[in-house]
Amino acid sequence: MSAAASTLYERITTRTARAGVVGLGYVGLPLAVELARAGLEVVGIDLDPGKVDALNRGESYIPDVRAADLAALVGRGRLSATTDFAAIERLDTVNICVPTPLRKTKDPDLSFVVSAVEAIAEHLHAGMLVILESTTYPGTTEEVVQPVLERRGLRAGHDFFLAFSPERVDPGNPTFRTHNVPKVVGGCTPECSRLAAALYGTAIETIVPVSSTRVAEMVKLLENTFRAVNIGLVNELALMCDRLDIDVWEVVDAARTKPFGFMPFYPGPGLGGHCIPIDPFYLSWKARQSGFEARFIELAGQVNGAMPHFVVDKITEALNSHRKAVNGSSVLVLGVTYKRDIDDIRESPSLDVMAVLESRGARVAYSDPHVPELPARAWAGGRTLDSVALGPATLAAFDCVAILTDHSGVDYDLVVEHADLVVDTRNTVKRAAPHVFKLGAPGRALMAGLDDAAITRAG
């Protein structure tokens, strides 16, 4: 190990290193808290002054981070935040945890990564460790990040150290948090890998070294592509069961009793969140650059992307059963977050369902205990909505209630009792009722399933 690497390794293992985290969102803030809890002095960097001010007051804006824990670390001087990248000059390590969305063309948008790396490069110094955590395509660390950091003459693996470690955050998961989810680490050189593993080893229980940054980048894409493809499979099965008058939920529950060779996935109104709807397209885009067509990934994307249209068709079927048209009907959407019991609406299929309903002339409202207000910029309806408080009179006032996110705090018995029509896309309603229509379950034949036109619309 070189002298620079030995010095940094000692500072990390003796907890005297100063660590930085760029991007204080769902990934960055929990990581910063764990590193600070492990005994390191941590500085968070974010361009949003609201997040910076909240952190410095000890106030958590991420549900997975307890305010008491954050306040204690801030009070002890272990954790602070700033909007000034000049703070990097005093740091030994920095983790980049910024978003990597898709462009409208479904190509990778690395603008946040590039901006963060350029800002870091202005203050990079010898002996420093830089780790990218943002999900991206294989080759990003070496092809995009490394050249920017080396512009001033410092060399990765010699003068400073560079690695990639994919984030594995599951918002709202009460069992698996940052500290007990194994951390995959791949460096540009063996020394880079060892230093990155040492940093994470201060706060995370299990470290999984791999041979390169490319392997580490590919690991995250495999994990989320695996989920996207299997969800696409079960969504297609749900559409098939709808046509065959079979309950897909009963099928999956029976299949999961097999003790080997099967893992249950469940259908729904579409994919949401910051990973599963996006990451597979990073992989398919990279594959196309090499002349390879990722057919499974593209097909799963088409099926999953068409599910919001299928849900609207299911709502249309339900309204038709009461001699009502979508145009002019009032629809209450239950749940606008992408998964239960969190406040994250990123890529939520509920927003797509609402937009399609609006385009067909429906009057849309929503109720979500985790999202009191839905800004106009967050969905295609063009207006800000407030969450509707549920009650017998409110439920009875709508022509149809659609369950799109199954939050545990909602009284679904109340919904079934007082709603005129219910469309359940999450198998939340367990008892049979003539006014409840389920995704992928027996009912009246759906007039418009997932046909080629629906796939074309979604693609």
Side-chain angles (χ1 to χ4, degrees), residues 376-424:
R377 66 178 183 278
W379 71 299
R383 68 186 189 281
T384 296
L385 299 177
D386 293 321
S387 178
V388 173
L390 295 183
T394 300
L395 290 164
F398 286 89
D399 295 308
C400 182
V401 176
I403 303 171
L404 302 187
T405 310
D406 51 342
H407 292 307
S408 59
V410 175
D411 185 347
Y412 294 104
D413 289 334
L414 179 75
V415 173
V416 174
E417 182 178 354
H418 295 284
D420 195 31
L421 280 173
V422 178
V423 173
D424 181 8

Side-chain angles (χ1 to χ4, degrees), residues 48-87:
D48 183 349
K51 291 180 179 178
V52 169
D53 291 343
L55 189 154
N56 287 331
R57 291 192 303 266
E59 299 174 1
S60 176
Y61 47 87
I62 299 294
D64 289 346
V65 175
R66 294 176 63 243
D69 295 337
L70 186 63
L73 293 169
V74 172
R76 294 203 304 269
R78 287 291 179 189
L79 180 59
S80 62
T82 181
T83 59
D84 188 359
F85 275 82

Side-chain angles (χ1 to χ4, degrees), residues 312-332:
V312 172
D313 288 340
K314 197 74 173 176
I315 293 171
T316 301
E317 175 198 359
L319 288 168
N320 284 344
S321 73
H322 281 211
R323 301 181 182 276
K324 294 180 179 179
V326 172
N327 192 348
S329 291
S330 58
V331 180
L332 177 65

Side-chain angles (χ1 to χ4, degrees), residues 330-351:
S330 58
V331 180
L332 177 65
V333 168
L334 297 190
V336 294
T337 63
Y338 81 87
K339 63 181 289 190
R340 73 173 67 172
D341 299 340
I342 66 169
D343 63 355
D344 194 345
I345 64 172
R346 286 178 294 176
E347 306 295 330
S348 174
S350 298
L351 306 180

Side-chain angles (χ1 to χ4, degrees), residues 201-419:
T202 64
I204 297 174
E205 294 175 3
T206 304
I207 309 302
V208 184
V210 295
S211 60
S212 68
T213 57
R214 288 174 177 265
V215 170
E217 290 160 341
M218 190 67 163
V219 167
K220 178 60 184 296
L221 296 185
L222 170 60
E223 293 169 359
N224 285 337
T225 299
F226 171 81
R227 287 184 57 79
V229 169
N230 280 280
I231 292 171
L233 172 63
V234 78
N235 273 335
E236 188 168 65
L237 186 68
L239 304 179
M240 188 186 307
C241 286
D242 197 278
R243 294 287 185 91
L244 297 177
D245 207 30
I246 298 170
D247 188 334
V248 69
W249 308 96
E250 182 182 2
V251 171
V252 175
D253 283 344
R256 69 180 298 182
T257 62
K258 185 179 180 181
F260 55 88
F262 182 81
M263 178 181 293
F265 288 84
Y266 296 94
L271 293 183
H274 64 292
C275 288
I276 298 176
I278 294 173
D279 297 356
F281 289 104
Y282 271 70
L283 186 53
S284 62
W285 177 86
K286 184 63 174 179
R288 287 198 301 273
Q289 309 309 302
S290 302
F292 183 85
E293 182 182 0
R295 289 177 289 176
F296 271 115
I297 297 173
E298 298 287 351
L299 179 58
Q302 291 173 355
V303 173
N304 292 328
M307 290 306 293
H309 290 276
F310 180 82
V311 171
V312 172
D313 288 340
K314 197 74 173 176
I315 293 171
T316 301
E317 175 198 359
L319 288 168
N320 284 344
S321 73
H322 281 211
R323 301 181 182 276
K324 294 180 179 179
V326 172
N327 192 348
S329 291
S330 58
V331 180
L332 177 65
V333 168
L334 297 190
V336 294
T337 63
Y338 81 87
K339 63 181 289 190
R340 73 173 67 172
D341 299 340
I342 66 169
D343 63 355
D344 194 345
I345 64 172
R346 286 178 294 176
E347 306 295 330
S348 174
S350 298
L351 306 180
D352 294 329
V353 171
M354 292 169 64
V356 176
L357 284 170
E358 284 265 329
S359 71
R360 296 189 185 182
R363 291 177 284 115
V364 179
Y366 85 95
S367 178
D368 193 312
H370 300 277
V371 185
E373 179 182 275
L374 187 64
R377 66 178 183 278
W379 71 299
R383 68 186 189 281
T384 296
L385 299 177
D386 293 321
S387 178
V388 173
L390 295 183
T394 300
L395 290 164
F398 286 89
D399 295 308
C400 182
V401 176
I403 303 171
L404 302 187
T405 310
D406 51 342
H407 292 307
S408 59
V410 175
D411 185 347
Y412 294 104
D413 289 334
L414 179 75
V415 173
V416 174
E417 182 178 354
H418 295 284

